[in-house]
Amino acid sequence: MRKCTPKSLYNKAVFYLSRYASSSENLRAILEKKVFKAQQEGQDVSFEEASVWIEDILKRMTELGYLDDERYSASKVRTLLESGKSVRTIKMKLKQKGLSEEQIEEALHSHEEESGAPNDETDLKNALRLVRKKRIGFMRPEEERSSFYQKDMAALGRAGFSFETAQKALAGEDDS
């Protein structure tokens, strides 16, 4: 592995951000992992010194506009909702990327205002999409529905949908 220097960390950040959108905390974790690997290989890099480098890099990337947590969270919310994920799953994924609870709620609220549909309705639509895709619930033949009900509820629960939303989706209820 190449020597861990401020320049190599900066290059790693630029390369990563040229390929992927990221939150500040996610990029911090990636750069810290690079420092940790360098330490494991025996390079003489103190974590305190590297932390200063990483903070400078994050500040620079934010100034250049490569890092913007609000833009990132809004983009992720839109993408994940369009792909059929539940609001609960989206919150979990964004929290894993290091976004604060306030940033996540703001992104969900702004998406709700943009789309004009409450997130509960969007959640139901996404649950119905999953039901149709997996051919469960009301999509099953009538004689199989009751025997597979618990299994179907579990599938929707694992996907992050609430109990009430799962019940409506399996029954084929559509609010629109």
Side-chain angles (χ1 to χ4, degrees), residues 39-126:
Q39 289 174 337
Q40 294 295 90
E41 292 180 355
Q43 292 185 28
D44 188 26
V45 181
S46 74
F47 198 75
E48 293 77 26
E49 184 180 27
S51 294
V52 173
W53 299 343
I54 291 170
E55 288 306 315
D56 289 343
I57 291 168
L58 292 175
K59 183 179 174 196
R60 178 82 172 125
M61 293 295 146
T62 304
E63 289 170 357
L64 292 171
Y66 298 152
L67 272 180
D68 185 354
D69 286 347
E70 282 74 33
R71 184 180 63 212
Y72 174 76
S73 60
S75 170
K76 273 304 221 191
V77 163
R78 186 174 43 259
T79 303
L80 292 169
L81 279 173
E82 288 171 359
S83 71
K85 302 294 184 209
S86 68
V87 172
R88 187 178 299 157
T89 301
I90 292 169
K91 286 180 180 181
M92 180 190 65
K93 285 183 181 284
L94 293 179
K95 199 170 214 57
Q96 287 173 342
K97 291 294 183 179
L99 294 170
S100 69
E101 198 70 38
E102 295 81 34
Q103 290 171 320
I104 295 169
E105 289 301 324
E106 177 61 34
L108 285 168
H109 181 69
S110 65
H111 182 272
E112 196 172 45
E113 287 178 351
E114 275 179 26
S115 67
N119 286 329
D120 294 342
E121 282 182 25
T122 306
D123 234 13
L124 181 57
K125 286 179 185 174
N126 289 342

Side-chain angles (χ1 to χ4, degrees), residues 133-175:
K133 180 180 175 184
K134 290 186 173 261
R135 303 197 51 76
I136 59 177
F138 74 94
M139 298 296 289
R140 287 188 190 277
E142 185 74 40
E143 60 275 0
E144 294 179 5
R145 290 182 193 166
S146 63
S147 60
F148 282 97
Y149 184 76
Q150 291 297 320
K151 185 176 180 178
D152 295 348
M153 285 291 287
L156 289 172
R158 284 189 302 273
F161 295 105
S162 70
F163 183 78
E164 293 80 22
T165 302
Q167 281 183 319
K168 287 180 182 180
L170 290 178
E173 295 177 26
D174 194 356
D175 289 343

